[in-house]
Every structure is written in C-alpha cells, then in structure tokens.
Amino acid sequence: METFEDDNPFENDVDHISSETSSTSRVNISAPSSPPPSAAHPVSPTISHQSRPFPSPGTSRQPQPMNKNDFCCNRNRWLHSGEDVEILITDAQKTTVHSTTPYIVYVIQAGTAEARHRYSEFESLQSSLRKLYPTLIIPPIPSKQSISDYATNPSKAKEDAAMIARRKRMLQTFLNRIARHPILSNEHVFHRFLDGEVSWTEVLHSPPLSLLPKNILKAPSHNPTDQSVLPAYEALPNPSATYPLRHPEQRFIDSEVFTNKFANHLNGPMEKVSRRMLKRWSESAHDYSELGAALNGFSLNESGALAAAIEKTGQAVDATYMSTTRLLQELEQNWAEPLHEYTQFASIIKKLLVYRHQKHVQYEMTRDTLENKRELLEEYEKSEREAKRLEEALARGRVEFSPRPEGQEENEGPDEPASAYLPPHPEPNPYRRRAPGMGFLNALSYTLHGMMDVDPETARRNGISKTRETISQLEDALHLAAQDLKYSGSTIQADLDRFQRQKVADLREMTISMARSHRDWCKKNLETWQAAKREIEKIPDHPNSMPATQSGKGAAGPSNTRRDSSATVNGR
C-alpha cells in the first residue's frame, strides 16, 4: 500500500457537498471544488477472528446520523437504526414464475422483509443507480458468464452450483455496500428493491426512474430527473469521451493516472498470480485426496505397527486435503473475489472520470460557442450601424438634390451625366429558343437569384434577433454547465476520498484474512502430522541393524544410525 500512498490523489477526507450548494445563482469555476480536509475517519474497525463473508459489516461504514427522523419507509428506518445491520442472501432457488424457462432467484433478507430477485434485476438496479447518481461510485455486481460457457452448455452455465454460490456472496456484498453508503442508502428505489411486496417492474416504470433522460449528459448532475430544466440543457453539446480539454484540472489528471496504475496492478500481476495460485492449491488438494485413499487402502495389506502407521499417515494426508480445501475456499472468498471486485471498481472510477471530463468539455464548448455568437452579433450590429450611416448620408443627398429650379427639365440637354439615370437590367428575350434540358437549370438559377435578392436589411435584422436569442439560451446553458462542472467535481472528489478509505480498510482485511487462513492451515496440519509421527515411531527398529553392544555404545536400545536401504535389499 505504501507505493500507492505517496502519489495518491484520493487521500484527502472530503465531506459530501449537497446539491443546494451547487445551485447558487453565480458559480465560480476557479473556486476549489472540495471543502478543506477534516479530521480523518478511522481506517478500519476491529476485525473479528471468526470466519465471515467479505466485507465485514463494519468495513468502510460511515457513521449514520442518529437524529434522523424523515424516514421514507420502514426499510429506510431499519437501515438507519444505528445498529450494525447486514443484508443477507439466504438462498438461491430455481423457479419459472412469469417465465416459460427456469431461472434462479436470490432470496434477500433485510430485517423482517424478504425479497426475491433474479440476476437481471440486480443489473437493472445498478444501472438505475448509475443514472440517478452519475457522480457517485456505484458498487459492482458479479460478472456474467462468458460466451464460451453458454456455448458449451447453456443450461449448466445457468445452474452451476459454484457460480451460483459465488454470485450469492458477491451480490450480498453489492447490497451491503449500497446500504453503508452515506447517500445511496437513502435512495427509495433501493428501499423498494429490498421490499418483497413491491414489483420491480412497477418500480422501473414509475418515478423517479421513468423521468430519467435518454442522454445523462443533457441533465443536471445533482438531479437528472428534474424536468423543469431539460429544455435549457438541450442547448448543451454532446461531446465524445476523447475530446481534448484546453484547460484540464490537474487533480483529476492525477486521479486518472493513479486509477490506471491501480487497475494495471490488479488486472496484471495480482489477479493473474492469484488465479494461478488457486489453481495449484486446487490441484494439490486433489492430489492429497488421491494419496490419502491410496495409503488407507495400502494399510489393509499390512499388519501390526506398520499398518497402523500407514493408516495414520493416510489420515494425516486426508486431513491435509480437508484443510487445503478449506484454505482454498477462504482464499477464493476473502482474497480472489474482493480482488476481482476492485478491478471492477477501477473500471467504474474510469467511467466516472470520463463523465466529469465530458462535463468539462461541455462547459468549454458552450463558452466558445457563446463567444463566437457574441462576435457575430457585434459584426451584425457594426453592419447595422454602417447601414444607418449610409442611409442617413443618402437621405441628406436626396434632400440637397431633390428641389429643382423651374424649367430645368425643359432645358436639360443631351450632355446630362449618365449617373442621373440608370437603365433597367435587360430582360431575357422571350422569343429566344431555349436549348433542350435547360428548364431545370433556369428554374434553379431563378431560385438562387430570388434567395440572393432578399432585402439585406431585413436579413441583417433577422440575424441580429436570432443571434440575440441564441446568446440568451447559451448564457443559460453556460450557467447550468458551470453548476454541473462544480457539483460533479466536488461530489466525485468526495466519493473518491470515501472510496480510498474503503479500499485501505478492505485491503487490510484481505491481507489479514489471508494470513489467518494460512496460519490455521499450518496449525491444523502440524497437529495431524505430529500425531502421525508418534504412530510412525512405534514401528520396531530395522531387523538387520547391528546391535548397540557390538558398536561399543553400551546397552541395547533403539539405534540412531541411519538405515541403509540397499543393505536391506541385498540381504546384508
């Protein structure tokens, strides 16, 4: 952990910023997005030496407010009762309710409530929480089966006992992580998921989930279901995740670098070596099982102390097989599964940082568009001012030259300047024969001529009014983008800090659990093999060994001389 602590950008303890703070009338982007660090929370509670599923109920648990009295339902009251509550998945059952094909439902026990949900409903819960809270780290759920598993045997892939047991453990971890989150635990959608009397399909088609927009980038970060501001968000662009920022924020660059490094450590050597280690432990347990059976069978062919010693050795090997199997299960539950969960966490954090990146790009693009529109409006207004000056000059000229002396028209001669009269543009000869196929081109030319002959003054004034309207919309959109950028930055940073504390506590628990499992494995094997050794020592000494008196060592007794197996074979 020390290699991560030195350059870790998540180490500050930052409290959550409420949405009301980000909804002020004026938003200063240059202001710090996170409040100053407060006193650090305890890293991890005291871990019990009893074997229990990962994570422990106290892992990364935030202190719940004891004076809360605005409970939305009984599940909310139970979750915030101040007790060390834990959600359990007690069973996995096959059923065909509302379906023609069988599927697995998981029985959830949350206090006095019992709910039954299939895997796809856990998926929809996680997806719904991601849309409702785009700035929070939503815990992962176990991965789906691979395509190869379904291709080889689809029915067995869905009903595999080991896969179902693994899903039970990891889905229980998913629910408990939500229940211990300071914000997600208050979401009524989660409470209704735990309530067995509510149809999940009804929850998905009712508010707030039915109010979620299709594009989460065009909705407020603090409340994506707010319908009143969605028209203003339509003016915001929809940038890609790879669009570069001109002015990136350094702390989020550091967060992205640290997350990539953390993910590479987990996805690379740690998870690969862990899978290889578990595979070898499994093969070793299988070998111990076969060896124990062979020794127990071989002891039946012998008699006396030798048979008892061989039988005791076989029992020790069987005990080693059982302790190795138990060690393998504990390593799978308390090391490999949490390690895989944190590789999923790293992927979730990357998506969270991408969302914040896109919100920042939205702000920059909207600001650039607004500046361009203001420049265009300035050009329009400049042209309008020049047109007015020209019109005033022409008006003054008409006033000066309009009163003519009497009789001037009669005295005008042929030397009148050509500028006094401009002949009309000659029209095309109506009797001129048109070439075949020129009708369409003439019609197109007439249309373009009509478009170009629009009154420039009218077009200019229409452009001014439309540009002013667009600028007003962009100013509102820029204000909303600034609010979202500040809120997403502060909330993401606060949840990253919370996640860092959770990660430290979980990794501490994982390593302690691994050490405890190996210690218990060694202690159990030491006891059984010591008992086997005592039984082996009861076997009489080698019959062909030299008496102790001939070797000059006094009275006869057990010889400590190493036996020569070749001498025994040769009959010496």
Side-chain angles (χ1 to χ4, degrees):
M1 286 303 300
E2 292 181 359
T3 57
F4 294 109
E5 293 285 335
D6 292 338
D7 55 352
N8 177 18
F10 305 155
E11 59 191 359
N12 290 335
D13 181 14
V14 182
D15 296 327
H16 171 66
I17 304 299
S18 63
S19 60
E20 289 79 11
T21 306
S22 67
S23 302
T24 54
S25 58
R26 296 181 180 274
V27 179
N28 183 11
I29 297 301
S30 62
S33 299
S34 300
S38 60
H41 294 284
V43 172
S44 174
T46 303
I47 298 178
S48 171
H49 290 277
Q50 298 178 356
S51 177
R52 57 193 314 167
F54 182 88
S56 69
T59 300
S60 69
R61 182 179 178 85
Q62 298 294 327
Q64 300 290 350
M66 299 302 297
N67 57 349
K68 180 177 178 178
N69 52 13
D70 53 340
F71 301 107
C72 61
C73 60
N74 291 332
R75 294 306 98 214
N76 191 15
R77 185 185 302 275
W78 175 73
L79 289 171
H80 297 85
S81 61
E83 301 177 359
D84 192 10
V85 299
E86 184 174 10
I87 302 172
L88 301 175
I89 295 183
T90 57
D91 197 7
Q93 302 172 350
K94 184 190 294 186
T95 183
T96 56
V97 178
H98 305 302
S99 177
T100 57
T101 57
Y103 58 92
I104 303 297
V105 293
Y106 299 91
V107 181
I108 304 170
Q109 190 74 35
T112 58
E114 183 179 279
R116 298 169 184 266
H117 293 287
R118 58 191 301 178
Y119 177 80
S120 59
E121 293 175 343
F122 282 90
E123 274 188 314
S124 62
L125 171 63
Q126 186 200 36
S127 175
S128 300
L129 291 177
R130 284 182 179 177
K131 294 177 182 178
L132 286 173
Y133 299 94
T135 60
L136 296 181
I137 303 173
I138 308 300
I141 61 174
S143 305
K144 286 185 175 180
Q145 289 290 299
S146 62
I147 298 178
S148 60
D149 294 334
Y150 281 101
T152 54
N153 196 340
S155 60
K156 187 177 179 181
K158 293 182 179 180
E159 300 174 8
D160 181 62
M163 182 270 293
I164 293 174
R166 188 183 311 112
R167 278 189 175 179
K168 277 179 58 180
R169 294 190 297 268
M170 299 190 72
L171 290 174
Q172 178 174 309
T173 300
F174 165 71
L175 295 176
N176 282 293
R177 288 202 187 279
I178 296 177
R180 291 161 194 162
H181 195 282
I183 300 174
L184 299 177
S185 60
N186 295 294
E187 176 54 51
H188 190 52
V189 172
F190 175 58
H191 303 155
R192 299 181 75 183
F193 187 84
L194 300 178
D195 193 346
E197 299 180 359
V198 180
S199 170
W200 182 243
T201 304
E202 178 184 347
V203 176
L204 292 177
H205 293 87
S206 60
L209 299 184
S210 61
L211 301 178
L212 286 170
K214 294 182 179 180
N215 188 353
I216 204 66
L217 288 175
K218 294 194 173 184
S221 298
H222 66 280
N223 185 11
T225 61
D226 188 359
Q227 301 289 313
S228 61
V229 295
L230 291 185
Y233 274 89
E234 289 299 323
L236 290 175
N238 187 24
S240 66
T242 58
Y243 195 93
L245 281 171
R246 291 201 310 273
H247 304 288
E249 198 167 345
Q250 185 61 39
R251 60 179 178 144
F252 286 103
I253 295 177
D254 297 338
S255 298
E256 185 176 355
V257 171
F258 177 78
T259 303
N260 290 332
K261 185 172 68 171
F262 179 70
N264 291 336
H265 273 284
L266 295 183
N267 290 326
M270 287 185 67
E271 198 169 18
K272 290 180 181 178
V273 171
S274 296
R275 285 197 298 264
R276 193 163 61 241
M277 177 188 67
L278 293 177
K279 180 181 178 182
R280 290 176 178 174
W281 274 115
S282 178
E283 294 173 349
S284 177
H286 181 71
D287 293 341
Y288 277 123
S289 174
E290 292 185 351
L291 179 60
L295 287 173
N296 291 328
F298 180 61
S299 66
L300 299 176
N301 297 328
E302 300 294 335
S303 61
L306 179 60
I310 295 176
E311 183 180 8
K312 197 67 175 178
T313 303
Q315 292 176 359
V317 172
D318 287 338
T320 304
Y321 156 71
M322 296 176 63
S323 62
T324 304
T325 303
R326 180 178 177 83
L327 173 66
L328 183 64
Q329 293 174 349
E330 292 178 353
L331 291 178
E332 176 76 20
Q333 296 177 21
N334 300 328
W335 176 262
E337 289 176 7
L339 202 63
H340 178 68
E341 183 189 23
Y342 268 93
T343 62
Q344 294 176 295
F345 265 123
S347 177
I348 291 171
I349 293 175
K350 288 181 181 179
K351 293 179 181 178
L352 205 65
L353 295 175
V354 166
Y355 172 81
R356 193 263 168 199
H357 173 88
Q358 290 176 299
K359 279 295 181 180
H360 198 165
V361 172
Q362 264 189 343
Y363 173 77
E364 287 191 349
M365 293 178 69
T366 306
R367 184 181 58 188
D368 294 344
T369 306
L370 180 60
E371 291 177 357
N372 293 335
K373 291 297 181 181
R374 285 173 175 169
E375 292 177 358
L376 179 62
L377 178 62
E378 186 177 350
E379 292 178 1
Y380 274 137
E381 291 176 344
K382 182 179 179 181
S383 300
E384 181 72 11
R385 290 192 297 268
E386 292 177 354
K388 286 183 178 180
R389 285 197 299 268
L390 181 60
E391 184 178 355
E392 292 174 356
L394 292 175
R396 287 195 300 270
R398 286 193 295 269
V399 170
E400 293 176 359
F401 294 101
S402 58
R404 297 175 180 271
E406 295 181 0
Q408 184 176 356
E409 293 182 0
E410 291 78 20
N411 297 331
E412 285 181 351
D415 295 335
E416 181 74 20
S419 59
Y421 172 75
L422 293 177
H425 192 276
E427 296 292 335
N429 187 359
Y431 302 101
R432 185 177 179 180
R433 182 178 179 82
R434 294 180 179 178
M438 295 299 293
F440 172 75
L441 295 178
N442 289 334
L444 180 63
S445 176
Y446 177 79
T447 303
L448 295 176
H449 182 70
M451 292 172 61
M452 291 185 292
D453 283 347
V454 175
D455 185 8
E457 183 178 356
T458 304
R460 184 173 59 250
R461 290 179 178 175
N462 289 338
I464 290 176
S465 61
K466 290 181 180 179
T467 304
R468 285 176 177 170
E469 182 180 356
T470 304
I471 287 175
S472 177
Q473 294 175 353
L474 288 174
E475 286 176 345
D476 294 339
L478 182 65
H479 176 70
L480 295 174
Q483 285 185 342
D484 283 351
L485 180 58
K486 185 174 182 179
Y487 177 81
S488 61
S490 62
T491 311
I492 290 174
Q493 184 63 60
D495 214 37
L496 287 175
D497 297 335
R498 180 202 59 81
F499 171 78
Q500 171 64 13
R501 295 191 298 272
Q502 168 193 304
K503 185 194 72 175
V504 171
D506 286 347
L507 289 177
R508 176 181 183 271
E509 184 175 351
M510 289 164 58
T511 52
I512 291 177
S513 177
M514 175 182 278
R516 186 183 299 116
S517 298
H518 281 88
R519 181 202 64 186
D520 295 342
W521 180 81
C522 294
K523 185 185 294 185
K524 181 66 177 177
N525 290 337
L526 180 63
E527 294 174 356
T528 55
W529 284 102
Q530 283 177 342
K533 178 185 177 184
R534 289 192 294 270
E535 193 67 31
I536 293 171
E537 289 175 345
K538 296 179 182 179
I539 300 177
D541 202 2
H542 198 283
N544 295 335
S545 62
M546 297 179 60
T549 55
Q550 296 180 5
S551 60
K553 292 188 179 181
S559 174
N560 293 328
T561 306
R562 185 174 181 179
R563 296 170 180 171
D564 187 357
S565 59
S566 62
T568 303
V569 172
N570 295 330
R572 297 197 302 271

